[in-house]
Amino acid sequence: MKLKKILPIILCLLLSACSGSAPEEYSYDFFAMDTYMSLTAYGDNAEKGVKAAAGRIAELTLMLSVTDENSELSAINRGGVAKVSEETAGLIAFALDIADKTDGALDPTVYPVLRAWGFTADQNRVPAPEEISALLKNIGHEHVQVDGNTVALDKGMMLDLGAVAKGYAGDETERILRENGITSALINLGGNIQLVGSKPDGTDWRLGLKDPAGTGNIGVLTVSDCAVVTSGSYERCFTAEDGTVYGHIIDPASGYPADNGLISVTIIADEGRLCDALSTALFVMGEECALEYWRENKNFDVILITDNAEVLITGGAADKFQLDSAYGNLTVKVVEE
Ligand code: AMP
Ligand code: MG
């Protein structure tokens, strides 16, 4: 895995001074899953917990990478069928379940098209329409079979867990930190944030929600004990010769980068893998379908930034978000149930 480019960090921790005697703090920054990651834990065992969690993320990177030919995922993609670990099979089954629930907006078989756009190799190009329509024949989550630990694909298909792997790594990191007795930690996996408990002084964490169009934060989310994951078209995108900007999230129905009026989708929920899967899926769906999905499920909160300068927030997150006064051009609206 190469150090290709620095992913913009979507959410950043807003530092604030805390008073009183500080507990032990241990931070570790590293590169994994093609992005920069940072773990900070507080209390006894902070260093031990963080090192164990970082080791676990390295293991998951080796198992789940679509570009590393030694990964379990590559074994499936090479042979069309492979016996993999229970964990990899479980994450594939989870992605297929969300694919089913989102009518294929999330689709872990979109890889052949993604590769044609050059996103995995950092050699971006605009494929010809005929090339895309030929590749779309090999896309479809309903053609993946998971039977115990054996995963089988129809001919020509390939799997990519890029939309859920970091979220799952967040869940594993949280599990390991808690196993080590840690009750306060900030997990930042390339912008996927997972919060263990509250800050060491007992107050909520303050996360900056990044301005998709600039360098500032449009506002602050004040939250604890949850995962917060953002997907956006402004991350990992490229500009074609005609000036069109193409993002890395593909609409599996068309084979083209999703362009449905959303600039970013932030999901807030307990589980990192759910946040990760839904941030990608709802980005593909666009505003109307995304909000309909929220109304039908409600096991998460969502913040949508639209290309007509609206910030749409569902009820559970509305009182946790504060718009920065410098972003008066944005209209914040609480989504009706
Ligand atoms: P995220 O940054 O979590 O939104 O995930 C984006 C990554 O997931 C991309 O870099 C691709 O590897 C992969 N991907 C892109 N579009 C989709 C899609 N519609 N369904 C599943 N995975 C996708
Ligand atoms: Mg995702």
Side-chain angles (χ1 to χ4, degrees), residues 7 10 66 104-111 114 119-120 160-166 192 229-232 235-236 248-252 275-277 279-281 283-284:
L7 239 197
I10 299 142
V66 71
L106 182 88
D107 194 323
T109 68
V110 82
Y111 188 66
L114 194 85
F119 281 110
T120 47
D160 167 28
L161 294 175
V164 293
K166 277 191 287 166
N192 277 34
V229 176
T230 299
S231 287
E235 302 170 70
R236 293 188 192 227
H248 70 139
I249 299 174
I250 303 290
D251 182 344
C275 288
D276 204 356
S279 66
T280 311
F283 185 83
V284 170

Side-chain angles (χ1 to χ4, degrees), residues 72-313:
E72 291 196 319
L73 213 58
S74 291
I76 302 169
N77 287 343
R78 228 181 357 257
V81 58
K83 196 163 183 186
V84 294
S85 63
E86 197 174 319
E87 196 169 21
T88 297
L91 190 59
I92 292 169
F94 170 78
L96 293 174
D97 180 47
I98 300 289
D100 198 36
K101 289 177 173 147
T102 61
D103 288 333
L106 182 88
D107 194 323
T109 68
V110 82
Y111 188 66
V113 172
L114 194 85
R115 205 168 53 160
W117 283 92
F119 281 110
T120 47
D122 248 359
Q123 288 172 335
N124 292 119
R125 59 189 272 274
V126 181
E130 312 79 64
E131 186 182 351
I132 292 180
S133 46
L135 288 171
L136 281 178
K137 297 192 181 105
N138 293 327
I139 310 265
H141 60 95
E142 61 281 7
H143 298 292
V144 183
Q145 290 85 42
V146 181
D147 183 7
N149 290 14
T150 302
V151 181
L153 307 173
D154 282 3
K155 198 167 179 299
M157 293 182 73
M158 294 177 96
L159 282 174
D160 167 28
L161 294 175
V164 293
K166 277 191 287 166
Y168 178 66
D171 294 330
E172 278 296 282
T173 301
E174 172 167 357
R175 180 182 67 75
I176 288 168
L177 293 177
R178 287 195 189 276
E179 263 174 26
N180 279 275
I182 287 155
T183 55
S184 175
L186 175 84
I187 301 163
N188 181 350
L189 310 185
N192 277 34
I193 303 288
Q194 201 141 336
L195 304 166
V196 179
S198 50
K199 286 200 292 184
D201 66 3
T203 60
D204 285 335
W205 305 92
R206 288 165 52 78
L207 305 179
L209 194 62
K210 195 178 172 291
D211 173 5
T215 52
N217 294 315
I218 68 154
V220 175
L221 255 182
T222 307
V223 284
S224 284
D225 238 340
C226 62
V228 183
V229 176
T230 299
S231 287
S233 51
Y234 55 95
E235 302 170 70
R236 293 188 192 227
C237 53
F238 75 99
T239 307
E241 273 171 21
D242 66 358
T244 310
V245 178
Y246 293 103
H248 70 139
I249 299 174
I250 303 290
D251 182 344
S254 68
Y256 281 78
D259 184 16
N260 289 327
L262 296 178
I263 298 176
S264 75
V265 175
T266 298
I267 306 283
I268 306 158
D270 290 341
E271 214 189 17
R273 67 177 190 170
L274 181 72
C275 288
D276 204 356
L278 291 183
S279 66
T280 311
L282 269 58
F283 185 83
V284 170
M285 286 178 182
E287 175 185 330
E288 211 175 303
C289 293
L291 295 181
E292 197 180 306
Y293 186 86
W294 172 75
R295 288 188 187 99
E296 282 168 7
N297 291 275
K298 298 234 183 91
N299 53 341
F300 62 96
D301 273 300
V302 57
I303 304 176
L304 305 178
I305 303 181
T306 71
D307 62 7
N308 58 354
E310 289 186 337
V311 181
L312 308 175
I313 309 189

